[in-house]
Amino acid sequence: MKTIIFVGSNKSGSSREALRAAARLGFFTVLLTDREVFLENRHDFPEVHQMVLTDLTNYNLLKSCIGKVQEQGKKIEAILSFIDPFVHVAAKLSKELNITKVPPEPLEKMEDKVLTRELLKGLSASPYFETYKKGESLETFIVNQKNHFPLIVKSPISTGSKDVLLVKDVKQFTQCINKLIEKGCDEILIEEYLEGPQYLIEACVYNGEVHIIAVLEQEIKLFERFIVTGYCLLAEMDTNFHNKIYETVCSILERFSMDNGSCHLEMRLVNNEWKLIEINPRISGGAMNRIIEIAYGFNLVEETIKIFLGQEPNFNRKIKRFVFAQYLTSDSTGTLIKVTGRKRCSGLPGIEEVFIKPKKGKLLHPPLSMGDRYGYILASSVDKEQAISLAKDAAKEIRFYIEPV
């Protein structure tokens, strides 16, 4: 029985849709998960044919689980993950079993932000950065950074805007570094703060050929962290604008020696020059797969699975529409009593999907990471501004009723 093993998944978003895509392609799907609640609610995952509870951070235990699947007579065609930090782990397991079409080395480098910066040093797309290692003279390090404020301070393995902090002076800088050290960071990355519009670029590589799948403008709000609250997929772009993105992405991926795989890059346009904020070796989470499907008519996680299987993906655009994703956050802290407006919102013109994540009784709070976004509304149109206004107007219909704590 042809089988695909997935290392980890979220309950919703791109990683969950990858499970559905694999089942739709006719594969027996096995999910290795560390979430007991998934097994307790096994009926919520009809596309998962076998679910195994295990420690995803224990490599030898993962190998043992995979061995037991093989002993059942199943033929493993791929081992995949669409969530951090297991993308390269899945590829490494595939390599050991000699079934991979995507080597783990580029993926592992992308998952480590310090390795990424070191690898891209000297590229025009790479901004100023330094690293501080626990035990070094903090006073000397801070003195050397005085002329570079404002700065971004982050953990090299941060995801979803967790442990990514903006500092504007020596006092904030010292506090942030000490805070990350207290959280167990032995190495801290310091980067130049870049001013300019920010974009997300979804890209895939097949047999050495780079494909720009989608380019999205990002709306970013600074709460305690930088949180992306809106994405606008650009169905049409100026040719020079697109070509410059393509050239920059190709120059970055060449440094990683990536011949097959997928990734997304966050970049800022600074004085007409593209600068890399970060790169991750997978499709973006959340609504990204649905955004692309609504805009272009193909399922990106399905085509990504084909790359890992050694099959040629099909990125032909069946349609072309602007899509805006408006994410929902909470302004206050408290227990969710109810959510209203979902049906009204869904019935409005141009609204493609309304997703509300938290259930009654969930503790909500202002966002500290991307995981603290509590839903989204997707709207589409042949006109960019209309797609944006449709989603934002619809979002006004949604109301979270919260009991303060």
Side-chain angles (χ1 to χ4, degrees):
M1 187 177 293
K2 291 186 176 182
T3 300
I4 294 180
I5 294 178
F6 289 86
V7 181
S9 175
N10 293 319
K11 188 175 181 181
S12 61
S14 300
S15 60
R16 179 67 186 276
E17 291 183 32
L19 288 166
R20 294 176 177 137
R24 195 165 56 245
L25 288 169
F27 289 93
F28 186 88
T29 58
V30 177
L31 174 62
L32 307 182
T33 181
D34 56 1
R35 301 189 186 186
E36 290 187 36
V37 67
F38 283 10
L39 277 85
E40 293 168 1
N41 297 279
R42 183 68 181 83
H43 60 278
D44 290 340
F45 296 81
E47 72 281 4
V48 177
H49 302 118
Q50 184 174 340
M51 192 179 291
V52 180
L53 183 67
T54 188
D55 181 359
L56 300 183
T57 65
N58 189 322
Y59 188 80
N60 289 328
L61 198 53
L62 291 174
K63 284 175 62 178
S64 175
C65 291
I66 292 167
K68 290 177 182 177
V69 172
Q70 288 178 309
E71 289 170 6
Q72 296 167 4
K74 298 180 175 67
K75 186 176 185 296
I76 299 174
E77 298 288 335
I79 303 172
L80 306 174
S81 184
F82 285 78
I83 58 173
D84 300 322
F86 307 114
V87 179
H88 92 272
V89 172
K92 186 177 178 182
L93 289 163
S94 292
K95 186 176 181 179
E96 283 201 38
L97 292 174
N98 198 32
I99 60 173
T100 186
K101 303 298 179 184
V102 178
E105 291 81 10
L107 312 182
E108 185 171 16
K109 291 173 184 175
M110 286 183 189
E111 285 185 341
D112 188 307
K113 291 175 171 54
V114 171
L115 288 176
T116 293
R117 289 305 185 200
E118 293 289 348
L119 189 67
L120 299 180
K121 190 181 289 185
L123 268 187
S124 62
S126 184
Y128 169 81
F129 76 96
E130 288 289 349
T131 57
Y132 172 76
K133 294 182 180 178
K134 184 179 178 181
E136 294 179 347
S137 170
L138 181 55
E139 185 177 348
T140 301
F141 185 77
I142 290 173
V143 168
N144 291 336
Q145 304 306 318
K146 274 187 175 181
N147 295 327
H148 295 287
F149 289 123
L151 289 164
I152 297 293
V153 179
K154 63 173 70 171
S155 163
I157 56 172
S158 69
T159 60
S161 291
K162 294 188 290 288
D163 300 325
V164 177
L165 306 161
L166 171 65
V167 297
K168 299 179 180 179
D169 54 43
V170 170
K171 182 180 179 181
Q172 288 182 338
F173 193 35
T174 306
Q175 289 174 340
C176 287
I177 289 183
N178 286 328
K179 182 178 180 180
L180 290 178
I181 289 173
E182 288 173 7
K183 293 184 73 171
C185 292
D186 293 327
E187 189 172 26
I188 297 168
L189 183 61
I190 288 86
E191 298 176 345
E192 170 187 2
Y193 175 66
L194 301 168
E195 292 274 8
Q198 185 161 310
Y199 295 80
L200 185 143
I201 294 93
E202 291 288 346
C204 286
V205 187
Y206 178 67
N207 287 346
E209 183 180 354
V210 175
H211 299 265
I212 301 297
I213 305 300
V215 177
L216 301 97
E217 291 179 347
Q218 293 181 311
E219 280 191 358
I220 300 174
K221 289 186 179 180
L222 178 59
F223 297 84
E224 285 192 43
R225 304 288 190 277
F226 291 101
I227 305 297
V228 181
T229 56
Y231 297 85
C232 184
L233 185 145
L234 303 179
E236 295 178 357
M237 286 169 279
D238 176 80
T239 301
N240 291 333
F241 179 83
H242 180 274
N243 289 346
K244 188 59 178 176
I245 290 175
Y246 181 79
E247 291 170 11
T248 305
V249 171
C250 286
S251 69
I252 291 169
L253 296 183
E254 186 178 5
R255 289 285 182 99
F256 284 97
S257 300
M258 180 182 254
D259 292 324
N260 288 288
S262 76
C263 65
H264 72 269
L265 309 91
E266 288 184 288
M267 299 199 296
R268 283 202 170 186
L269 188 57
V270 183
N271 297 323
N272 292 317
E273 189 171 32
W274 287 104
K275 297 288 185 179
L276 180 71
I277 302 295
E278 67 176 48
I279 182 170
N280 291 287
R282 54 171 177 79
I283 182 178
S284 300
M288 189 55 61
N289 192 62
R290 285 289 296 132
I291 292 171
I292 293 170
E293 191 169 27
I294 292 167
Y296 294 138
F298 65 83
N299 189 300
L300 182 55
V301 293
E302 185 173 313
E303 301 309 318
T304 302
I305 289 171
K306 290 179 184 177
I307 293 175
F308 279 83
L309 293 168
Q311 302 172 9
E312 184 175 0
N314 182 357
F315 301 127
N316 290 332
R317 298 173 180 178
K318 301 170 186 175
I319 52 178
K320 188 186 292 186
R321 288 186 288 186
F322 289 90
V323 178
F324 190 82
Q326 178 65 56
Y327 273 81
L328 307 172
T329 59
S330 176
D331 295 327
S332 57
T333 299
T335 303
L336 181 64
I337 301 171
K338 63 178 179 178
V339 182
T340 61
R342 194 178 332 198
K343 286 186 178 179
R344 289 195 305 274
C345 182
S346 299
L348 293 173
I351 301 304
E352 300 283 351
E353 185 174 328
V354 178
F355 174 72
I356 305 297
K357 182 179 177 181
K359 305 296 182 184
K360 181 180 177 180
K362 172 77 175 178
L363 180 66
L364 307 189
H365 56 80
L368 296 173
S369 73
M370 298 293 197
D372 297 328
R373 300 177 299 184
Y374 297 125
Y376 59 77
I377 295 163
L378 304 184
S380 72
S381 174
V382 293
D383 178 75
K384 175 186 173 183
E385 297 306 321
Q386 185 179 45
I388 295 172
S389 64
L390 288 171
K392 288 187 176 295
D393 288 345
K396 296 173 185 176
E397 299 290 339
I398 303 294
R399 183 174 176 185
F400 294 100
Y401 287 82
I402 296 173
E403 182 177 351
V405 294

